Amino acid sequence: MPSIVLSIRPPSAQRLQEVFSRGFAVVAMLVWVALVALVALVPPAHAAMTSSEGTQLFANHCAGCHIHGGNVLRRGKTLKLAALERQGVASEAAIAAIAAAGVGQMGGYANVLGEDGVQAVAAWVWDQAQAGWPRS
């Protein structure tokens, strides 16, 4: 009866490298897919603030001096559209810059509101200014 001899040889270095490369590519692809899914599912930070949050932040931090878009300290420096246009700050971006850094007697609120809060307040103020500051 013929005998069968099996020889077991260790894999060559080239074969090990091929197997490792394929395994690494699979793991890298899975990590990439997981990161893409995470980025797609997590909304950007600026999307976290809503109009109601802008309303609440304004009420908490701004309305003491700017009730209904007015100004209790300086009558001409209101948040009404005509005053904003007269002062050259009739845009959401300009309002955000003032809310963050301050201007004149008003100090900046960047540290208190954070970037998202500044943007939310500016968007809300700009909407109110364009709507004539309705008293609702």
Short mmCIF file of all heavy atoms in Angstrom, two decimals, residues 89 91-102 110 115 118-123:
data_model
loop_
_atom_site.label_atom_id
_atom_site.label_comp_id
_atom_site.label_asym_id
_atom_site.label_seq_id
_atom_site.Cartn_x
_atom_site.Cartn_y
_atom_site.Cartn_z
N VAL A 89 -25.65 97.59 10.78
CA VAL A 89 -25.56 96.22 11.30
C VAL A 89 -26.83 95.43 11.00
O VAL A 89 -27.26 94.61 11.80
CB VAL A 89 -25.23 96.20 12.81
CG1 VAL A 89 -23.83 96.72 13.07
CG2 VAL A 89 -26.26 97.00 13.60
N SER A 91 -27.87 92.73 9.54
CA SER A 91 -27.70 91.35 9.04
C SER A 91 -27.52 90.43 10.24
O SER A 91 -27.11 90.86 11.32
CB SER A 91 -26.49 91.24 8.12
OG SER A 91 -25.29 91.30 8.85
N GLU A 92 -27.83 89.19 10.01
CA GLU A 92 -27.66 88.20 11.08
C GLU A 92 -26.20 88.09 11.51
O GLU A 92 -25.90 88.00 12.70
CB GLU A 92 -28.17 86.84 10.59
CG GLU A 92 -28.25 85.79 11.66
CD GLU A 92 -28.85 84.50 11.16
OE1 GLU A 92 -29.81 84.54 10.37
OE2 GLU A 92 -28.36 83.43 11.58
N ALA A 93 -25.29 88.14 10.54
CA ALA A 93 -23.86 88.04 10.86
C ALA A 93 -23.39 89.22 11.71
O ALA A 93 -22.61 89.04 12.66
CB ALA A 93 -23.04 87.95 9.58
N ALA A 94 -23.84 90.42 11.38
CA ALA A 94 -23.44 91.60 12.15
C ALA A 94 -24.00 91.54 13.56
O ALA A 94 -23.31 91.88 14.53
CB ALA A 94 -23.91 92.87 11.44
N ILE A 95 -25.23 91.07 13.69
CA ILE A 95 -25.84 90.94 15.02
C ILE A 95 -25.08 89.90 15.84
O ILE A 95 -24.81 90.10 17.03
CB ILE A 95 -27.33 90.58 14.91
CG1 ILE A 95 -28.09 91.75 14.26
CG2 ILE A 95 -27.92 90.23 16.26
CD1 ILE A 95 -29.49 91.39 13.80
N ALA A 96 -24.70 88.80 15.20
CA ALA A 96 -23.93 87.76 15.89
C ALA A 96 -22.59 88.30 16.38
O ALA A 96 -22.15 88.00 17.50
CB ALA A 96 -23.72 86.55 14.98
N ALA A 97 -21.93 89.10 15.55
CA ALA A 97 -20.64 89.67 15.94
C ALA A 97 -20.79 90.57 17.16
O ALA A 97 -19.96 90.53 18.08
CB ALA A 97 -20.03 90.44 14.76
N ILE A 98 -21.85 91.38 17.19
CA ILE A 98 -22.08 92.26 18.33
C ILE A 98 -22.45 91.45 19.57
O ILE A 98 -21.97 91.73 20.67
CB ILE A 98 -23.17 93.31 18.00
CG1 ILE A 98 -22.63 94.29 16.95
CG2 ILE A 98 -23.60 94.05 19.26
CD1 ILE A 98 -23.67 95.22 16.39
N ALA A 99 -23.30 90.45 19.40
CA ALA A 99 -23.68 89.62 20.54
C ALA A 99 -22.45 88.92 21.14
O ALA A 99 -22.33 88.79 22.35
CB ALA A 99 -24.72 88.58 20.12
N ALA A 100 -21.53 88.51 20.29
CA ALA A 100 -20.35 87.79 20.77
C ALA A 100 -19.33 88.73 21.41
O ALA A 100 -18.84 88.47 22.51
CB ALA A 100 -19.70 87.03 19.61
N ALA A 101 -19.01 89.83 20.73
CA ALA A 101 -17.91 90.70 21.18
C ALA A 101 -18.38 91.93 21.95
O ALA A 101 -17.60 92.53 22.68
CB ALA A 101 -17.08 91.13 19.98
N GLY A 102 -19.63 92.32 21.76
CA GLY A 102 -20.14 93.53 22.39
C GLY A 102 -19.83 94.75 21.55
O GLY A 102 -19.08 94.69 20.58
N ALA A 110 -20.07 86.06 24.23
CA ALA A 110 -19.55 84.84 23.61
C ALA A 110 -19.29 83.76 24.64
O ALA A 110 -19.61 82.59 24.43
CB ALA A 110 -18.27 85.14 22.83
N GLU A 115 -20.74 79.63 20.91
CA GLU A 115 -20.89 79.90 19.47
C GLU A 115 -22.30 79.58 18.99
O GLU A 115 -22.92 80.37 18.27
CB GLU A 115 -19.87 79.10 18.66
CG GLU A 115 -19.96 79.33 17.16
CD GLU A 115 -19.64 80.75 16.72
OE1 GLU A 115 -18.88 81.45 17.41
OE2 GLU A 115 -20.18 81.16 15.68
N VAL A 118 -24.80 82.20 20.40
CA VAL A 118 -24.66 83.50 19.72
C VAL A 118 -25.40 83.44 18.38
O VAL A 118 -26.15 84.36 18.04
CB VAL A 118 -23.17 83.88 19.52
CG1 VAL A 118 -23.02 85.01 18.53
CG2 VAL A 118 -22.52 84.23 20.85
N GLN A 119 -25.19 82.36 17.64
CA GLN A 119 -25.85 82.22 16.34
C GLN A 119 -27.37 82.11 16.49
O GLN A 119 -28.12 82.69 15.70
CB GLN A 119 -25.31 81.00 15.59
CG GLN A 119 -23.85 81.11 15.20
CD GLN A 119 -23.55 82.34 14.36
OE1 GLN A 119 -24.32 82.73 13.49
NE2 GLN A 119 -22.42 82.98 14.63
N ALA A 120 -27.82 81.38 17.49
CA ALA A 120 -29.27 81.22 17.71
C ALA A 120 -29.91 82.55 18.08
O ALA A 120 -30.98 82.90 17.56
CB ALA A 120 -29.53 80.18 18.80
N VAL A 121 -29.27 83.31 18.96
CA VAL A 121 -29.81 84.62 19.35
C VAL A 121 -29.80 85.57 18.15
O VAL A 121 -30.79 86.28 17.91
CB VAL A 121 -29.01 85.22 20.53
CG1 VAL A 121 -29.33 86.70 20.73
CG2 VAL A 121 -29.28 84.44 21.80
N ALA A 122 -28.72 85.59 17.40
CA ALA A 122 -28.63 86.48 16.24
C ALA A 122 -29.71 86.15 15.22
O ALA A 122 -30.36 87.07 14.68
CB ALA A 122 -27.25 86.39 15.61
N ALA A 123 -29.93 84.87 14.96
CA ALA A 123 -30.97 84.47 14.01
C ALA A 123 -32.34 84.91 14.51
O ALA A 123 -33.17 85.42 13.74
CB ALA A 123 -30.93 82.96 13.79
#
